[in-house]
Amino acid sequence: MIIAWSTAHQEFTINDYYYYSALRELISRNGVELVVIDEIKDLSQYKVVVFNYPEKEFKNWERELLHKFMFRGGRVIILGYYNNEDNVADYVNSLTRDYGIIMNDDAVVDKINKVDDEGLLITTSRIYGFNHGVKKILLPCTASLRALNNKPINIVQAEETAVSTKYGRSPSLFKLVRVGAGELIVGGTCVFWDNFSIKRFDNEKFAINILIKENKLIQDANRLNKQ
């Protein structure tokens, strides 16, 4: 398989050694080819496309192309950041709103399950999908997500001790929606797999799960969401 990492919307590039060298090495270690793309065009050779902190709105033709890519079995991963920094939540939503997922303009704070004094570098063990070998992950500076309909699946949720600065307690942090034979994964933070975070707890396993694992783990998310 080949993963496409986009810089078409001024996303953080995985070629930045200071921030993402460990993730790039992890992908290589798992025998997966990685290609950085600076425009969205023919995606037929890829299995996964990653948008890591987009800083430009998705155009209509891009949304149509990505919809076809997912419908035919591709996976799109799009990640933002807290407090709508650089309008990233707005740009994420220009794609994800079509599929019933909204990234909120907030921050999630947890004064108990965290690794910093402020409670912005939160941890959670509530991982409902892509959770093989994953018991706990670190999610720094994350926004929360909300669903506009019943199609999105909640795959990561904050602990009961966590509170959104605007939208209540224990919010969703990662969601997934099926699109034909493929899927869209939306995450509230783009730095859970940077060099600071990826070696902590089970972040490395979670990162590789959402990048290359198959859909069988999603069945667990469906089951847990109904409880």
Side-chain angles (χ1 to χ4, degrees):
M1 66 177 293
I2 306 175
I3 295 172
W5 186 285
S6 172
T7 59
H9 305 86
Q10 296 181 345
E11 295 92 347
F12 293 135
T13 177
I14 197 170
N15 286 334
D16 187 315
Y17 182 85
Y18 184 81
Y19 287 106
Y20 293 110
S21 58
L23 176 61
R24 188 176 185 99
E25 192 278 331
L26 174 67
I27 293 170
S28 176
R29 195 166 69 240
N30 278 270
V32 178
E33 185 177 351
L34 177 71
V35 177
V36 176
I37 58 173
D38 60 7
E39 59 181 327
I40 307 302
K41 48 181 184 179
D42 180 17
L43 301 175
S44 59
Q45 62 182 310
Y46 308 121
K47 177 62 178 176
V48 178
V49 179
V50 179
F51 300 98
N52 199 61
Y53 199 95
E55 295 187 66
K56 287 184 178 180
E57 188 174 40
F58 285 81
K59 299 174 183 177
N60 288 341
W61 67 266
E62 291 177 312
R63 290 158 52 202
E64 292 173 4
L65 192 153
L66 289 167
H67 181 82
K68 292 177 182 178
F69 169 74
M70 290 185 284
F71 198 83
R72 294 168 180 164
R75 177 179 297 165
V76 170
I77 301 171
I78 185 166
L79 306 171
Y81 204 52
Y82 73 157
N83 290 334
N84 198 19
E85 188 81 17
D86 295 325
N87 298 313
V88 66
D90 295 334
Y91 298 136
V92 167
N93 293 336
S94 70
L95 175 66
T96 65
R97 187 185 299 272
D98 294 346
Y99 303 97
I101 300 175
I102 292 294
M103 181 170 293
N104 293 320
D105 57 344
D106 67 345
V108 180
V109 179
D110 193 327
K111 295 295 188 178
I112 305 298
N113 295 285
K114 43 83 174 182
V115 299
D116 67 315
D117 293 335
E118 298 299 319
L120 286 167
L121 311 186
I122 70 170
T123 64
T124 184
S125 59
R126 302 173 78 182
I127 304 107
Y128 301 147
F130 300 97
N131 53 7
H132 180 69
V134 180
K135 294 182 179 179
K136 186 177 182 179
I137 56 176
L138 171 65
L139 298 173
C141 300
T142 185
S144 68
L145 308 176
R146 70 182 188 271
L148 298 178
N149 53 48
N150 62 2
K151 293 182 179 180
I153 298 168
N154 183 26
I155 58 174
V156 178
Q157 187 171 359
E159 299 285 359
E160 292 288 349
T161 49
V163 181
S164 161
T165 53
K166 293 185 178 182
Y167 299 99
R169 186 172 295 278
S170 188
S172 175
L173 306 177
F174 273 73
K175 287 186 179 293
L176 175 146
V177 65
R178 293 302 307 263
V179 184
E183 59 265 329
L184 171 68
I185 297 173
V186 185
T189 176
C190 65
V191 292
F192 80 97
W193 54 12
D194 70 1
N195 286 354
F196 172 81
S197 301
I198 196 165
K199 297 293 185 180
R200 296 173 183 246
F201 304 104
D202 297 315
N203 281 39
E204 197 172 74
K205 292 178 181 177
F206 181 68
I208 209 66
N209 284 353
I210 67 169
L211 284 170
I212 70 173
K213 296 296 183 181
E214 295 299 325
N215 297 345
K216 59 184 179 180
L217 296 175
I218 297 169
Q219 296 173 1
D220 294 334
N222 277 317
R223 176 177 56 81
L224 287 163
N225 280 353
K226 294 176 181 177
Q227 292 182 355

